[in-house]
Short mmCIF file of all heavy atoms in Angstrom, two decimals:
data_model
loop_
_atom_site.label_atom_id
_atom_site.label_comp_id
_atom_site.label_asym_id
_atom_site.label_seq_id
_atom_site.Cartn_x
_atom_site.Cartn_y
_atom_site.Cartn_z
N MET A 1 10.58 -8.39 83.92
CA MET A 1 11.11 -9.43 83.06
C MET A 1 11.11 -10.74 83.84
O MET A 1 11.53 -10.79 84.98
CB MET A 1 12.54 -9.07 82.63
CG MET A 1 13.21 -10.15 81.83
SD MET A 1 14.98 -9.89 81.47
CE MET A 1 14.95 -8.37 80.59
N ARG A 2 10.62 -11.77 83.20
CA ARG A 2 10.69 -13.12 83.77
C ARG A 2 11.74 -13.89 83.00
O ARG A 2 11.85 -13.76 81.79
CB ARG A 2 9.35 -13.83 83.66
CG ARG A 2 8.28 -13.29 84.60
CD ARG A 2 7.12 -14.24 84.60
NE ARG A 2 6.06 -14.22 85.53
CZ ARG A 2 5.99 -13.71 86.73
NH1 ARG A 2 6.97 -13.05 87.22
NH2 ARG A 2 4.92 -13.81 87.47
N ILE A 3 12.52 -14.72 83.72
CA ILE A 3 13.54 -15.51 83.05
C ILE A 3 13.32 -16.99 83.33
O ILE A 3 12.77 -17.37 84.37
CB ILE A 3 14.97 -15.09 83.47
CG1 ILE A 3 15.20 -15.30 84.96
CG2 ILE A 3 15.23 -13.65 83.08
CD1 ILE A 3 16.64 -15.07 85.39
N THR A 4 13.73 -17.81 82.36
CA THR A 4 13.67 -19.25 82.48
C THR A 4 15.06 -19.81 82.27
O THR A 4 15.68 -19.54 81.22
CB THR A 4 12.70 -19.85 81.43
OG1 THR A 4 11.41 -19.26 81.60
CG2 THR A 4 12.61 -21.36 81.56
N LEU A 5 15.55 -20.58 83.22
CA LEU A 5 16.84 -21.23 83.08
C LEU A 5 16.77 -22.23 81.94
O LEU A 5 15.89 -23.08 81.91
CB LEU A 5 17.21 -21.94 84.39
CG LEU A 5 18.46 -22.82 84.34
CD1 LEU A 5 19.70 -21.97 84.14
CD2 LEU A 5 18.56 -23.64 85.62
N LYS A 6 17.66 -22.11 80.97
CA LYS A 6 17.70 -23.03 79.84
C LYS A 6 18.82 -24.04 79.99
O LYS A 6 18.71 -25.15 79.51
CB LYS A 6 17.84 -22.28 78.52
CG LYS A 6 16.64 -21.39 78.23
CD LYS A 6 15.35 -22.13 78.36
CE LYS A 6 14.73 -22.47 77.05
NZ LYS A 6 13.44 -23.15 77.18
N GLY A 7 19.93 -23.65 80.62
CA GLY A 7 20.99 -24.61 80.82
C GLY A 7 22.22 -24.03 81.48
O GLY A 7 22.57 -22.88 81.26
N LYS A 8 22.84 -24.87 82.31
CA LYS A 8 24.13 -24.56 82.92
C LYS A 8 25.16 -25.46 82.27
O LYS A 8 24.86 -26.59 81.91
CB LYS A 8 24.11 -24.82 84.42
CG LYS A 8 23.31 -23.79 85.21
CD LYS A 8 23.46 -24.06 86.70
CE LYS A 8 22.91 -22.94 87.52
NZ LYS A 8 23.81 -21.81 87.62
N ASP A 9 26.38 -24.98 82.17
CA ASP A 9 27.45 -25.74 81.56
C ASP A 9 27.79 -26.94 82.46
O ASP A 9 28.34 -26.76 83.53
CB ASP A 9 28.68 -24.85 81.37
CG ASP A 9 29.80 -25.55 80.63
OD1 ASP A 9 29.70 -26.77 80.37
OD2 ASP A 9 30.79 -24.87 80.31
N PRO A 10 27.48 -28.15 82.03
CA PRO A 10 27.73 -29.32 82.87
C PRO A 10 29.22 -29.64 83.02
O PRO A 10 29.59 -30.40 83.91
CB PRO A 10 26.99 -30.44 82.14
CG PRO A 10 26.96 -30.01 80.72
CD PRO A 10 26.86 -28.50 80.75
N GLU A 11 30.06 -29.07 82.17
CA GLU A 11 31.49 -29.35 82.23
C GLU A 11 32.27 -28.31 83.01
O GLU A 11 33.47 -28.45 83.20
CB GLU A 11 32.05 -29.46 80.81
CG GLU A 11 31.48 -30.64 80.05
CD GLU A 11 32.07 -30.78 78.67
OE1 GLU A 11 33.26 -30.46 78.48
OE2 GLU A 11 31.34 -31.20 77.77
N SER A 12 31.62 -27.26 83.47
CA SER A 12 32.29 -26.20 84.22
C SER A 12 32.14 -26.48 85.71
O SER A 12 31.04 -26.52 86.24
CB SER A 12 31.68 -24.84 83.87
OG SER A 12 32.37 -23.82 84.56
N ARG A 13 33.24 -26.68 86.37
CA ARG A 13 33.23 -26.97 87.79
C ARG A 13 33.95 -25.86 88.53
O ARG A 13 34.91 -25.31 88.02
CB ARG A 13 33.94 -28.31 88.07
CG ARG A 13 33.31 -29.49 87.35
CD ARG A 13 32.00 -29.90 88.01
NE ARG A 13 31.46 -31.11 87.38
CZ ARG A 13 30.37 -31.13 86.65
NH1 ARG A 13 29.69 -30.05 86.44
NH2 ARG A 13 29.94 -32.25 86.14
N PRO A 14 33.53 -25.47 89.70
CA PRO A 14 32.49 -26.11 90.52
C PRO A 14 31.13 -25.44 90.40
O PRO A 14 30.17 -25.93 90.95
CB PRO A 14 33.04 -25.89 91.94
CG PRO A 14 33.71 -24.55 91.86
CD PRO A 14 34.29 -24.49 90.46
N ASN A 15 31.02 -24.31 89.68
CA ASN A 15 29.80 -23.51 89.74
C ASN A 15 28.78 -23.72 88.64
O ASN A 15 27.70 -23.17 88.69
CB ASN A 15 30.17 -22.02 89.77
CG ASN A 15 31.03 -21.68 90.96
OD1 ASN A 15 30.92 -22.30 92.00
ND2 ASN A 15 31.91 -20.71 90.81
N GLY A 16 29.11 -24.48 87.60
CA GLY A 16 28.15 -24.68 86.51
C GLY A 16 27.92 -23.44 85.69
O GLY A 16 26.87 -23.23 85.12
N SER A 17 28.91 -22.58 85.62
CA SER A 17 28.82 -21.38 84.79
C SER A 17 29.67 -21.65 83.56
O SER A 17 30.69 -22.33 83.67
CB SER A 17 29.38 -20.18 85.55
OG SER A 17 29.33 -19.02 84.77
N PRO A 18 29.32 -21.23 82.43
CA PRO A 18 28.28 -20.31 82.01
C PRO A 18 26.85 -20.87 82.11
O PRO A 18 26.66 -22.06 82.21
CB PRO A 18 28.62 -20.02 80.54
CG PRO A 18 30.02 -20.43 80.36
CD PRO A 18 30.25 -21.52 81.34
N THR A 19 25.91 -19.94 82.04
CA THR A 19 24.50 -20.27 82.14
C THR A 19 23.73 -19.46 81.11
O THR A 19 24.08 -18.32 80.83
CB THR A 19 23.98 -19.94 83.56
OG1 THR A 19 24.83 -20.59 84.51
CG2 THR A 19 22.57 -20.41 83.76
N VAL A 20 22.67 -20.08 80.55
CA VAL A 20 21.84 -19.43 79.54
C VAL A 20 20.40 -19.37 80.04
O VAL A 20 19.87 -20.36 80.54
CB VAL A 20 21.90 -20.20 78.20
CG1 VAL A 20 20.95 -19.59 77.18
CG2 VAL A 20 23.33 -20.22 77.66
N TYR A 21 19.80 -18.19 79.92
CA TYR A 21 18.41 -17.97 80.31
C TYR A 21 17.63 -17.41 79.13
O TYR A 21 18.16 -16.63 78.34
CB TYR A 21 18.31 -16.93 81.45
CG TYR A 21 19.04 -17.30 82.71
CD1 TYR A 21 20.38 -16.97 82.88
CD2 TYR A 21 18.38 -17.96 83.74
CE1 TYR A 21 21.06 -17.29 84.05
CE2 TYR A 21 19.05 -18.29 84.91
CZ TYR A 21 20.38 -17.95 85.06
OH TYR A 21 21.05 -18.26 86.21
N LYS A 22 16.35 -17.74 79.03
CA LYS A 22 15.42 -17.17 78.06
C LYS A 22 14.51 -16.21 78.81
O LYS A 22 14.05 -16.54 79.90
CB LYS A 22 14.61 -18.28 77.39
CG LYS A 22 13.61 -17.79 76.38
CD LYS A 22 14.28 -17.46 75.07
CE LYS A 22 13.27 -17.14 74.00
NZ LYS A 22 13.31 -15.79 73.54
N THR A 23 14.25 -15.04 78.24
CA THR A 23 13.34 -14.10 78.88
C THR A 23 11.95 -14.18 78.26
O THR A 23 11.78 -14.75 77.18
CB THR A 23 13.84 -12.64 78.76
OG1 THR A 23 13.60 -12.18 77.42
CG2 THR A 23 15.31 -12.51 79.10
N ASP A 24 10.99 -13.58 78.91
CA ASP A 24 9.64 -13.52 78.36
C ASP A 24 9.48 -12.33 77.41
O ASP A 24 8.39 -12.02 76.97
CB ASP A 24 8.59 -13.45 79.48
CG ASP A 24 8.69 -12.17 80.32
OD1 ASP A 24 9.71 -11.44 80.21
OD2 ASP A 24 7.76 -11.90 81.09
N GLN A 25 10.60 -11.69 77.09
CA GLN A 25 10.57 -10.53 76.19
C GLN A 25 11.25 -10.82 74.86
O GLN A 25 11.67 -9.92 74.15
CB GLN A 25 11.23 -9.33 76.88
CG GLN A 25 10.50 -8.94 78.14
CD GLN A 25 11.15 -7.77 78.86
OE1 GLN A 25 12.13 -7.20 78.42
NE2 GLN A 25 10.59 -7.41 80.00
N GLY A 26 11.40 -12.11 74.54
CA GLY A 26 12.00 -12.50 73.27
C GLY A 26 13.50 -12.26 73.22
O GLY A 26 14.03 -11.95 72.16
N SER A 27 14.18 -12.43 74.37
CA SER A 27 15.63 -12.23 74.39
C SER A 27 16.27 -13.29 75.27
O SER A 27 15.60 -14.11 75.89
CB SER A 27 15.97 -10.83 74.91
OG SER A 27 15.50 -10.65 76.23
N TRP A 28 17.58 -13.28 75.29
CA TRP A 28 18.38 -14.24 76.05
C TRP A 28 19.29 -13.51 77.02
O TRP A 28 19.75 -12.40 76.71
CB TRP A 28 19.25 -15.06 75.10
CG TRP A 28 18.48 -15.91 74.17
CD1 TRP A 28 17.96 -15.53 72.95
CD2 TRP A 28 18.10 -17.26 74.34
NE1 TRP A 28 17.30 -16.58 72.37
CE2 TRP A 28 17.37 -17.66 73.20
CE3 TRP A 28 18.32 -18.18 75.36
CZ2 TRP A 28 16.86 -18.94 73.06
CZ3 TRP A 28 17.80 -19.47 75.22
CH2 TRP A 28 17.08 -19.82 74.08
N LEU A 29 19.57 -14.12 78.16
CA LEU A 29 20.58 -13.63 79.09
C LEU A 29 21.67 -14.70 79.16
O LEU A 29 21.37 -15.89 79.29
CB LEU A 29 19.98 -13.42 80.49
CG LEU A 29 18.84 -12.43 80.57
CD1 LEU A 29 18.31 -12.36 82.01
CD2 LEU A 29 19.26 -11.05 80.10
N VAL A 30 22.91 -14.27 79.05
CA VAL A 30 24.04 -15.18 79.06
C VAL A 30 24.98 -14.81 80.18
O VAL A 30 25.45 -13.68 80.25
CB VAL A 30 24.79 -15.15 77.71
CG1 VAL A 30 25.98 -16.10 77.74
CG2 VAL A 30 23.86 -15.50 76.55
N GLN A 31 25.24 -15.74 81.04
CA GLN A 31 26.23 -15.58 82.11
C GLN A 31 27.48 -16.31 81.64
O GLN A 31 27.41 -17.47 81.25
CB GLN A 31 25.70 -16.21 83.39
CG GLN A 31 26.68 -16.22 84.53
CD GLN A 31 26.12 -16.98 85.72
OE1 GLN A 31 24.91 -17.10 85.88
NE2 GLN A 31 27.00 -17.50 86.54
N GLY A 32 28.60 -15.62 81.63
CA GLY A 32 29.83 -16.25 81.17
C GLY A 32 31.04 -15.61 81.78
O GLY A 32 30.95 -14.86 82.75
N TRP A 33 32.19 -15.91 81.20
CA TRP A 33 33.45 -15.36 81.70
C TRP A 33 33.66 -13.97 81.13
O TRP A 33 33.49 -13.73 79.94
CB TRP A 33 34.60 -16.27 81.29
CG TRP A 33 34.39 -17.68 81.76
CD1 TRP A 33 34.35 -18.12 83.06
CD2 TRP A 33 34.17 -18.82 80.95
NE1 TRP A 33 34.12 -19.47 83.10
CE2 TRP A 33 34.00 -19.94 81.80
CE3 TRP A 33 34.09 -19.05 79.58
CZ2 TRP A 33 33.78 -21.22 81.34
CZ3 TRP A 33 33.86 -20.33 79.13
CH2 TRP A 33 33.71 -21.39 80.01
N VAL A 34 34.04 -13.04 81.98
CA VAL A 34 34.30 -11.66 81.56
C VAL A 34 35.50 -11.64 80.61
O VAL A 34 36.53 -12.24 80.90
CB VAL A 34 34.59 -10.76 82.78
CG1 VAL A 34 34.98 -9.36 82.34
CG2 VAL A 34 33.38 -10.71 83.70
N VAL A 35 35.34 -10.98 79.47
CA VAL A 35 36.44 -10.81 78.53
C VAL A 35 37.23 -9.59 78.96
O VAL A 35 36.69 -8.48 78.99
CB VAL A 35 35.93 -10.65 77.09
CG1 VAL A 35 37.07 -10.37 76.14
CG2 VAL A 35 35.16 -11.89 76.65
N GLU A 36 38.47 -9.79 79.34
CA GLU A 36 39.31 -8.69 79.81
C GLU A 36 40.50 -8.43 78.90
O GLU A 36 41.25 -7.49 79.15
CB GLU A 36 39.80 -8.99 81.23
CG GLU A 36 38.65 -9.04 82.23
CD GLU A 36 39.10 -9.38 83.64
OE1 GLU A 36 40.24 -9.88 83.81
OE2 GLU A 36 38.32 -9.14 84.57
N ASP A 37 40.66 -9.23 77.86
CA ASP A 37 41.77 -9.05 76.92
C ASP A 37 41.54 -7.76 76.13
O ASP A 37 40.67 -7.70 75.26
CB ASP A 37 41.86 -10.26 75.99
CG ASP A 37 43.04 -10.20 75.04
OD1 ASP A 37 43.46 -9.10 74.64
OD2 ASP A 37 43.54 -11.29 74.68
N GLN A 38 42.29 -6.72 76.45
CA GLN A 38 42.06 -5.41 75.85
C GLN A 38 42.25 -5.42 74.34
O GLN A 38 41.56 -4.70 73.62
CB GLN A 38 42.98 -4.35 76.48
CG GLN A 38 42.56 -2.93 76.15
CD GLN A 38 41.15 -2.60 76.57
OE1 GLN A 38 40.76 -2.81 77.72
NE2 GLN A 38 40.34 -2.08 75.65
N SER A 39 43.15 -6.25 73.81
CA SER A 39 43.34 -6.31 72.36
C SER A 39 42.08 -6.85 71.68
O SER A 39 41.72 -6.41 70.58
CB SER A 39 44.56 -7.14 71.98
OG SER A 39 44.41 -8.49 72.37
N VAL A 40 41.40 -7.79 72.32
CA VAL A 40 40.14 -8.31 71.78
C VAL A 40 39.06 -7.24 71.87
O VAL A 40 38.33 -6.98 70.91
CB VAL A 40 39.72 -9.59 72.53
CG1 VAL A 40 38.31 -10.00 72.13
CG2 VAL A 40 40.70 -10.71 72.26
N LEU A 41 38.95 -6.60 73.02
CA LEU A 41 37.93 -5.57 73.21
C LEU A 41 38.12 -4.39 72.26
O LEU A 41 37.15 -3.80 71.79
CB LEU A 41 37.93 -5.09 74.66
CG LEU A 41 37.54 -6.16 75.69
CD1 LEU A 41 37.76 -5.65 77.10
CD2 LEU A 41 36.12 -6.64 75.49
N ASP A 42 39.39 -4.07 71.96
CA ASP A 42 39.68 -2.98 71.03
C ASP A 42 39.18 -3.27 69.62
O ASP A 42 38.90 -2.35 68.85
CB ASP A 42 41.18 -2.69 70.98
CG ASP A 42 41.69 -2.03 72.25
OD1 ASP A 42 40.86 -1.52 73.04
OD2 ASP A 42 42.92 -2.03 72.45
N GLU A 43 39.04 -4.54 69.26
CA GLU A 43 38.55 -4.93 67.93
C GLU A 43 37.02 -4.82 67.83
O GLU A 43 36.46 -4.90 66.75
CB GLU A 43 38.95 -6.36 67.61
CG GLU A 43 40.43 -6.55 67.42
CD GLU A 43 40.78 -7.97 67.03
OE1 GLU A 43 40.11 -8.50 66.12
OE2 GLU A 43 41.71 -8.52 67.63
N MET A 44 36.36 -4.63 68.96
CA MET A 44 34.91 -4.60 69.00
C MET A 44 34.43 -3.18 69.29
O MET A 44 35.11 -2.41 69.95
CB MET A 44 34.40 -5.55 70.09
CG MET A 44 34.91 -6.97 69.92
SD MET A 44 34.51 -8.02 71.32
CE MET A 44 32.81 -8.37 70.97
N ASP A 45 33.26 -2.85 68.80
CA ASP A 45 32.65 -1.53 69.05
C ASP A 45 31.57 -1.72 70.11
O ASP A 45 30.41 -1.96 69.79
CB ASP A 45 32.07 -0.97 67.76
CG ASP A 45 31.52 0.43 67.93
OD1 ASP A 45 31.91 1.11 68.89
OD2 ASP A 45 30.70 0.83 67.09
N ILE A 46 31.96 -1.64 71.37
CA ILE A 46 31.05 -1.94 72.48
C ILE A 46 30.48 -0.65 73.04
O ILE A 46 31.21 0.16 73.61
CB ILE A 46 31.79 -2.71 73.58
CG1 ILE A 46 32.46 -3.96 72.99
CG2 ILE A 46 30.83 -3.08 74.71
CD1 ILE A 46 33.48 -4.57 73.89
N PRO A 47 29.19 -0.43 72.86
CA PRO A 47 28.57 0.80 73.37
C PRO A 47 28.59 0.86 74.90
O PRO A 47 28.64 -0.18 75.56
CB PRO A 47 27.13 0.71 72.86
CG PRO A 47 27.13 -0.31 71.78
CD PRO A 47 28.24 -1.24 72.10
N GLU A 48 28.54 2.06 75.42
CA GLU A 48 28.45 2.25 76.87
C GLU A 48 27.21 1.52 77.38
O GLU A 48 26.16 1.51 76.75
CB GLU A 48 28.33 3.74 77.19
CG GLU A 48 28.44 4.03 78.66
CD GLU A 48 28.51 5.51 78.96
OE1 GLU A 48 29.04 6.28 78.13
OE2 GLU A 48 28.01 5.90 80.03
N GLY A 49 27.36 0.88 78.51
CA GLY A 49 26.25 0.13 79.10
C GLY A 49 26.19 -1.32 78.66
O GLY A 49 25.30 -2.05 79.08
N GLU A 50 27.11 -1.75 77.79
CA GLU A 50 27.16 -3.14 77.34
C GLU A 50 28.49 -3.75 77.74
O GLU A 50 29.44 -3.04 78.06
CB GLU A 50 26.98 -3.23 75.82
CG GLU A 50 25.61 -2.79 75.37
CD GLU A 50 25.40 -3.02 73.89
OE1 GLU A 50 26.22 -3.68 73.23
OE2 GLU A 50 24.39 -2.51 73.37
N THR A 51 28.55 -5.06 77.74
CA THR A 51 29.78 -5.77 78.07
C THR A 51 29.88 -7.00 77.19
O THR A 51 28.96 -7.30 76.42
CB THR A 51 29.81 -6.15 79.56
OG1 THR A 51 31.13 -6.59 79.90
CG2 THR A 51 28.81 -7.24 79.91
N VAL A 52 30.97 -7.70 77.31
CA VAL A 52 31.19 -8.91 76.52
C VAL A 52 31.49 -10.05 77.48
O VAL A 52 32.28 -9.90 78.40
CB VAL A 52 32.39 -8.72 75.56
CG1 VAL A 52 32.66 -10.00 74.79
CG2 VAL A 52 32.14 -7.58 74.60
N VAL A 53 30.81 -11.17 77.28
CA VAL A 53 31.12 -12.39 78.04
C VAL A 53 31.43 -13.49 77.04
O VAL A 53 30.99 -13.44 75.89
CB VAL A 53 29.97 -12.83 78.98
CG1 VAL A 53 29.71 -11.78 80.04
CG2 VAL A 53 28.71 -13.18 78.22
N GLU A 54 32.19 -14.46 77.48
CA GLU A 54 32.58 -15.58 76.64
C GLU A 54 31.91 -16.84 77.15
O GLU A 54 31.84 -17.08 78.36
CB GLU A 54 34.10 -15.75 76.68
CG GLU A 54 34.60 -16.88 75.83
CD GLU A 54 36.12 -17.01 75.89
OE1 GLU A 54 36.76 -16.30 76.68
OE2 GLU A 54 36.64 -17.85 75.14
N ILE A 55 31.41 -17.66 76.22
CA ILE A 55 30.85 -18.96 76.56
C ILE A 55 31.44 -19.99 75.60
O ILE A 55 31.83 -19.65 74.47
CB ILE A 55 29.31 -18.97 76.48
CG1 ILE A 55 28.83 -18.70 75.06
CG2 ILE A 55 28.70 -18.00 77.48
CD1 ILE A 55 27.33 -18.94 74.86
N PRO A 56 31.53 -21.27 75.99
CA PRO A 56 32.05 -22.29 75.09
C PRO A 56 31.01 -22.71 74.07
O PRO A 56 29.80 -22.57 74.29
CB PRO A 56 32.41 -23.44 76.04
CG PRO A 56 31.50 -23.28 77.20
CD PRO A 56 31.28 -21.80 77.33
N ASP A 57 31.48 -23.25 72.95
CA ASP A 57 30.58 -23.73 71.89
C ASP A 57 29.52 -24.68 72.41
O ASP A 57 28.38 -24.69 71.93
CB ASP A 57 31.38 -24.44 70.79
CG ASP A 57 32.15 -23.49 69.91
OD1 ASP A 57 31.81 -22.29 69.86
OD2 ASP A 57 33.10 -23.95 69.25
N ARG A 58 29.86 -25.50 73.41
CA ARG A 58 28.91 -26.50 73.90
C ARG A 58 27.64 -25.88 74.48
O ARG A 58 26.64 -26.55 74.66
CB ARG A 58 29.58 -27.43 74.90
CG ARG A 58 30.06 -26.76 76.17
CD ARG A 58 30.79 -27.74 77.09
NE ARG A 58 31.42 -27.04 78.18
CZ ARG A 58 32.70 -26.65 78.19
NH1 ARG A 58 33.47 -26.94 77.16
NH2 ARG A 58 33.20 -26.02 79.23
N MET A 59 27.66 -24.56 74.77
CA MET A 59 26.47 -23.91 75.32
C MET A 59 25.46 -23.51 74.24
O MET A 59 24.31 -23.20 74.55
CB MET A 59 26.88 -22.66 76.11
CG MET A 59 27.72 -22.95 77.35
SD MET A 59 26.87 -23.98 78.55
CE MET A 59 25.55 -22.89 79.04
N LEU A 60 25.85 -23.53 72.98
CA LEU A 60 24.96 -23.10 71.90
C LEU A 60 23.70 -23.95 71.80
O LEU A 60 22.66 -23.47 71.37
CB LEU A 60 25.71 -23.09 70.56
CG LEU A 60 26.85 -22.09 70.48
CD1 LEU A 60 27.54 -22.20 69.12
CD2 LEU A 60 26.38 -20.67 70.74
N ARG A 61 23.76 -25.20 72.23
CA ARG A 61 22.58 -26.08 72.15
C ARG A 61 21.41 -25.52 72.95
O ARG A 61 20.25 -25.78 72.66
CB ARG A 61 22.93 -27.47 72.62
CG ARG A 61 23.29 -27.54 74.10
CD ARG A 61 23.75 -28.92 74.47
NE ARG A 61 24.20 -28.92 75.85
CZ ARG A 61 24.16 -29.98 76.61
NH1 ARG A 61 23.68 -31.12 76.14
NH2 ARG A 61 24.59 -29.91 77.85
N TYR A 62 21.68 -24.74 73.98
CA TYR A 62 20.61 -24.18 74.81
C TYR A 62 19.82 -23.09 74.09
O TYR A 62 18.67 -22.83 74.42
CB TYR A 62 21.17 -23.67 76.14
CG TYR A 62 21.75 -24.79 76.99
CD1 TYR A 62 23.12 -24.89 77.16
CD2 TYR A 62 20.93 -25.76 77.54
CE1 TYR A 62 23.65 -25.92 77.92
CE2 TYR A 62 21.45 -26.80 78.29
CZ TYR A 62 22.82 -26.87 78.47
OH TYR A 62 23.35 -27.90 79.21
N PHE A 63 20.43 -22.45 73.12
CA PHE A 63 19.71 -21.42 72.34
C PHE A 63 18.69 -22.05 71.40
O PHE A 63 17.69 -21.43 71.09
CB PHE A 63 20.69 -20.56 71.55
CG PHE A 63 21.51 -19.65 72.40
CD1 PHE A 63 22.83 -19.92 72.65
CD2 PHE A 63 20.96 -18.51 72.99
CE1 PHE A 63 23.60 -19.10 73.45
CE2 PHE A 63 21.72 -17.67 73.79
CZ PHE A 63 23.05 -17.96 74.02
N SER A 64 18.92 -23.27 70.96
CA SER A 64 18.00 -23.92 70.04
C SER A 64 16.94 -24.74 70.78
O SER A 64 15.99 -25.20 70.18
CB SER A 64 18.76 -24.82 69.08
OG SER A 64 19.35 -25.91 69.80
N GLY A 65 17.14 -24.95 72.07
CA GLY A 65 16.23 -25.76 72.84
C GLY A 65 16.65 -27.21 72.93
O GLY A 65 16.02 -28.00 73.61
N GLU A 66 17.74 -27.59 72.25
CA GLU A 66 18.20 -28.99 72.27
C GLU A 66 18.59 -29.43 73.67
O GLU A 66 18.50 -30.60 74.00
CB GLU A 66 19.40 -29.16 71.34
CG GLU A 66 19.07 -28.98 69.89
CD GLU A 66 20.33 -29.03 69.03
OE1 GLU A 66 21.30 -29.70 69.40
OE2 GLU A 66 20.33 -28.39 67.98
N GLY A 67 19.04 -28.49 74.50
CA GLY A 67 19.51 -28.84 75.82
C GLY A 67 18.42 -29.01 76.86
O GLY A 67 18.68 -29.32 78.00
N GLU A 68 17.18 -28.79 76.46
CA GLU A 68 16.08 -28.87 77.42
C GLU A 68 15.72 -30.31 77.73
O GLU A 68 15.79 -31.17 76.97
CB GLU A 68 14.85 -28.15 76.85
CG GLU A 68 15.10 -26.68 76.68
CD GLU A 68 13.91 -25.95 76.13
OE1 GLU A 68 12.84 -26.01 76.75
OE2 GLU A 68 14.05 -25.31 75.10
#
């Protein structure tokens, strides 16, 4: 899999996370904050081998290419 950096959160200091990547396989990789609130996780049906990360609304522009 090859990945292309699409954008880092310019408002997140000091590390610039969350981050959005596009893959060459027609998918996205999202680096964000780990969701640890068990009440939230209990509302979701998360299969084994998957996890949930949170990103702010301002990161959505990178999925459309506007942030490039």
